[in-house]
Amino acid sequence: MTSQVSSPAEQADASVVGEQRKPAGAKDVRRLDRVIIRFAGDSGDGMQLTGDRFTSETASFGNDLSTLPNFPAEIRAPAGTLPGVSSFQLHFADHDILTPGDAPNVLVAMNPAALKANIGDVPRGAEIIVNTDEFTKRAMQKVGYEASPLEDGSLDGYQLHPVPLTTLTVEALKDFDLSRKEAERSKNMFALGLLSWMYNRPTQGTEAFLRSKFARKPEIAEANIAAFRAGWNFGETTEDFAVSYEVAPAAKAFPAGTYRNISGNLALSYGLIAASRQADLPLFLGSYPITPASDILHELSRHKNFGVRTFQAEDEIAGIGAALGAAFGGSLAVTTTSGPGVALKSETIGLAVSLELPLLVVDIQRGGPSTGLPTKTEQADLLQAMFGRNGEAPVPVIAPCTPADCFDAALEAARIALAYRTPVMLLSDGYLANGSEPWRIPELEELPDLTVRFAQGPNHTLDDGSEVFWPYLRDPQTLARPWAVPGTPGLEHRIGGIEKEDGSGIISYAPANHETMVRTRQAKIDGIDVPDLAVDDPDGARTLVLGWGSTYGPITAAVRRIRRAGGRIAQAHLRHVNPFPRNLGEVLKRYDKVVVPEMNLGQLALLLRAKYLVDAHSHTQVNGMPFKAEQLAAALKEAIDD
């Protein structure tokens, strides 16, 4: 999706595009073109659920949106501490947008820790809603507040709304047979109701969701609904909120079609299912749970009706071993993991390279090394994907650029794996996996034909005239070897990691044969048909910004800011990182300067320098968060002016 670009000032303050007044005695309604909201609290306060529900209602209303969940690695992090803060940021607009936004216009802080952890991102003039019940002396001292920030004047530059969320929630649920502790758990629904009133969000979907979620506990469902309605009514009646806001649907942002809100991991799951149906192959997932990839295992396990079989293995090695066995047996085989799991799977990926079988290795990248930052994002597995195996073991590498694009990237990875009989690395990351945006559900005829032809009989005639099956006799176009399903009469052949003879597939230690096989496997990857790199350069720029993966949104937003301010800059974005598009070298030579923003220490830039001898300038960050468009725009402007 493309985006209208806002200036840095506009990024800090949502633009007022009109004002609509209600009848006398009612509150004013102000129209905005976009808003950025951040919900923040303890990891047990339900901020992710609150944000997800607000997102779902916003999507159903027709706004374009982008989200950024941010949560601790611990299942229940220490309450009231800075490391235990969980947040959910949502950017929604009446036009097409690209990022979850740099800075929130509204911060909902459920406790002092949430306020302190997030206030640095909130621009002056923004609205802050705080749960005053949690601002006790002990809670404030725990995070280093010597005096109450609600009273010491430190928040005078903001529109502060002190609301006793806990007290109001307990009061709203006094007629329910709940303990005070149980009633307090619904304060996130009270906050959701208040924000839903402030921004005129639909409510029916949330109420239906709560009744479904707590179907076995109807009293809990009704209590949450009561808290949700109480929050809405509080906004309607309190004098502290004098204005509500409207953000119109993004009617012009989307092509005609049926849309739904989708996260990257969900889109990737659907893409894998679509690929298996288009290939007419059963889908097998061999996986070991790991953040942030586990959602794919969870989702695919729900779709046995589409011929999906999921296997939760005892470890990463067993997961990919089972997947490779399924590939040998004729399935569309997938294994999912994150960076630490890729390291454990490396030997079996090398075996798949040697066996030349289709296998999708999905790496949802996270902060490393080792356990690192399990719930934060990074792009630091690129070199591992390229070279993290013993011997010469090349594999194609595909990288989606948005949450919705994960669907198409899964189809493309499957196309390459099936057509070229090779394992394929698909590099998503935590930002894409957990973030969400609207996705147009494609029509069936728009999906690629991935039909596979298995070997059926002998394919080679020996000198004596006998017909035999040679498992490494290659397709002249793709260099792919035949895919023989076990049990097919006459197609018996050796498997294993020891080198095979070209053509016949018998074990061979011959030096010349090994060199032939190594070079042939490399030639197969080099010869994969990938589209040329498209360049967006309307003004004949001298500087090119080149990205890959999830940096697409921030880069595009930054580029458009620069152009809006009169600057000239070209943009290109790589989906295929191995092999590179054939025109990449020619593109790079057209520009005086090439800037490569990455969430690592310059891995793509290293590859570009090595292959094309171009002086690629890295702009990097590894703080576990995606780039902010304003900061990136400043760095690109400096590169242009240098």
Side-chain angles (χ1 to χ4, degrees):
M1 285 182 283
T2 58
S3 171
Q4 297 178 9
V5 184
S6 303
S7 68
E10 289 172 328
Q11 180 69 14
D13 299 299
S15 304
V16 179
V17 296
E19 193 167 299
Q20 170 184 324
R21 298 197 175 272
K22 292 184 177 181
K27 296 186 178 182
D28 292 338
V29 178
R30 189 171 300 165
R31 292 178 179 168
L32 306 175
D33 66 354
R34 59 186 185 79
V35 175
I36 303 168
I37 297 175
R38 184 182 297 179
F39 299 93
D42 278 336
S43 60
D45 283 341
M47 294 297 93
Q48 303 305 316
L49 175 63
T50 304
D52 183 69
R53 287 313 314 158
F54 196 96
T55 299
S56 295
E57 297 299 345
T58 297
S60 69
F61 187 72
N63 296 119
D64 195 9
L65 61 89
S66 179
T67 68
L68 178 62
N70 185 16
F71 44 89
E74 295 84 2
I75 294 174
R76 184 59 63 90
T81 66
L82 294 176
V85 172
S86 173
S87 67
F88 188 105
Q89 184 162 303
L90 166 68
H91 183 191
F92 62 102
D94 65 2
H95 56 275
D96 46 345
I97 57 176
L98 288 157
T99 74
D102 288 359
N105 309 118
V106 181
L107 171 66
V108 180
M110 303 297 282
N111 59 22
L115 177 64
K116 189 161 190 176
N118 291 279
I119 190 64
D121 292 335
V122 183
R124 294 284 176 169
E127 295 189 80
I128 301 176
I129 301 171
V130 295
N131 180 13
T132 56
D133 290 325
E134 296 297 324
F135 279 72
T136 63
K137 184 176 181 180
R138 181 180 179 184
M140 289 186 290
Q141 288 178 341
K142 186 182 289 189
V143 295
Y145 280 127
E146 296 181 1
S148 172
L150 309 184
E151 300 171 354
D152 66 3
S154 61
L155 300 179
D156 287 349
Y158 305 92
Q159 300 179 55
L160 181 64
H161 302 282
V163 180
L165 289 172
T166 305
T167 299
L168 292 171
T169 302
V170 172
E171 176 64 21
L173 303 185
K174 64 182 180 181
D175 294 333
F176 289 83
D177 186 21
L178 299 173
S179 67
R180 179 179 177 87
K181 185 175 182 180
E182 290 172 327
E184 288 179 357
R185 291 174 181 163
S186 296
K187 63 181 180 289
N188 64 323
M189 289 297 106
F190 188 100
L192 178 60
L194 173 58
L195 269 294
S196 297
W197 171 83
M198 283 182 64
Y199 292 98
N200 285 275
R201 298 296 91 185
T203 61
Q204 297 89 341
T206 293
E207 294 190 10
F209 168 82
L210 291 170
R211 289 193 173 96
S212 174
K213 181 177 177 63
F214 298 106
R216 297 183 180 180
K217 298 179 179 179
E219 186 173 2
I220 298 297
E222 294 306 316
N224 277 282
I225 291 171
F228 176 67
R229 291 175 175 173
W232 177 284
N233 293 333
F234 177 77
E236 183 71 34
T237 58
T238 183
E239 295 181 1
D240 192 37
F241 293 92
V243 178
S244 66
Y245 304 94
E246 284 186 353
V247 180
K252 299 180 180 179
F254 310 118
T258 302
Y259 286 80
R260 59 157 294 166
N261 181 51
I262 201 164
S263 68
N265 274 351
L266 185 57
L268 204 155
S269 300
Y270 288 172
L272 293 173
I273 296 171
S276 75
R277 293 298 81 212
Q278 292 302 104
D280 195 23
L281 297 175
L283 177 63
F284 180 90
L285 174 67
S287 183
Y288 180 75
I290 183 171
T291 301
S294 299
D295 288 342
I296 301 172
L297 171 62
H298 301 160
E299 182 61 33
L300 290 180
S301 68
R302 300 186 177 104
H303 296 286
K304 296 181 178 65
N305 56 313
F306 287 113
V308 179
R309 179 171 295 179
T310 54
F311 170 58
Q312 180 174 319
E314 67 270 23
D315 56 37
E316 295 281 4
I317 298 172
I320 190 173
L324 184 56
F328 179 64
S331 292
L332 176 59
V334 185
T335 189
T336 53
T337 189
S338 192
V342 174
L344 292 167
K345 296 176 188 293
S346 62
E347 184 178 4
T348 307
I349 297 173
L351 176 59
V353 171
S354 174
L355 295 179
E356 300 189 47
L357 287 172
L359 174 68
L360 303 187
V361 181
V362 178
D363 177 6
I364 313 297
Q365 300 167 95
R366 70 188 202 187
S370 188
T371 308
L373 303 174
T375 60
K376 310 302 180 183
T377 195
E378 206 163 273
Q379 286 183 298
D381 293 348
L382 177 57
L383 294 184
Q384 180 178 218
M386 290 286 292
F387 307 118
R389 294 162 296 282
N390 66 295
E392 295 287 347
V395 298
V397 180
I398 306 294
C401 63
T402 70
D405 187 50
C406 289
F407 177 87
D408 296 316
L411 284 164
E412 175 65 358
R415 176 191 74 84
I416 292 173
L418 295 172
Y420 294 88
R421 309 287 195 267
T422 178
V424 176
M425 294 284 295
L426 195 158
L427 295 183
S428 180
D429 60 43
Y431 171 41
L432 296 183
N434 297 317
S436 60
E437 65 177 349
W439 171 59
R440 187 181 70 84
I441 302 173
E443 298 296 333
L444 186 60
E445 57 270 17
E446 296 174 354
L447 300 179
D449 181 3
L450 303 179
T451 304
V452 173
R453 296 186 61 182
F454 292 111
Q456 299 296 322
N459 60 0
H460 181 69
T461 303
L462 298 177
D463 292 341
D464 63 4
S466 58
E467 294 185 338
V468 296
F469 174 67
W470 273 17
Y472 285 87
L473 190 66
R474 302 179 183 279
D475 182 285
Q477 297 298 320
T478 64
L479 298 182
R481 79 175 187 91
W483 193 0
V485 176
T488 305
L491 303 190
E492 298 84 0
H493 60 280
R494 291 178 177 84
I495 60 169
I498 297 178
E499 186 66 277
K500 311 297 188 300
E501 184 179 78
D502 187 29
S504 69
I506 64 174
I507 292 174
S508 173
Y509 292 93
N513 178 77
H514 178 60
E515 176 143 353
T516 295
M517 294 297 276
V518 167
R519 293 187 181 278
T520 300
R521 288 189 290 260
Q522 182 65 57
K524 180 171 67 170
I525 304 307
D526 292 342
I528 291 173
D529 182 23
V530 303
D532 279 350
L533 180 66
V535 181
D536 176 20
D537 184 5
D539 301 313
R542 297 174 59 191
T543 300
L544 170 72
V545 55
L546 178 66
W548 70 278
S550 67
T551 57
Y552 172 78
I555 288 175
T556 305
V559 164
R560 292 181 179 179
R561 287 187 182 198
I562 290 172
R563 291 176 181 171
R564 198 172 196 181
R568 293 183 178 183
I569 190 167
Q571 178 188 0
H573 206 80
L574 290 168
R575 164 179 279 183
H576 298 86
V577 187
N578 192 36
F580 285 130
R582 286 173 174 76
N583 69 330
L584 177 56
E586 183 271 329
V587 167
L588 296 174
K589 292 177 181 177
R590 293 206 305 255
Y591 295 92
D592 296 340
K593 184 176 293 186
V594 177
V595 182
V596 185
E598 298 181 77
M599 292 187 293
N600 55 48
L601 295 183
Q603 296 186 14
L604 175 61
L606 179 68
L607 296 175
L608 296 175
R609 292 189 189 107
K611 186 174 180 64
Y612 299 107
L613 302 180
V614 60
D615 186 19
H617 298 259
S618 287
H619 179 74
T620 64
Q621 76 174 35
V622 282
N623 61 7
M625 299 294 288
F627 283 108
K628 291 184 177 180
E630 182 176 357
Q631 295 173 352
L632 195 53
L636 295 178
K637 179 67 164 57
E638 183 178 342
I640 294 172
D641 295 340
D642 187 6

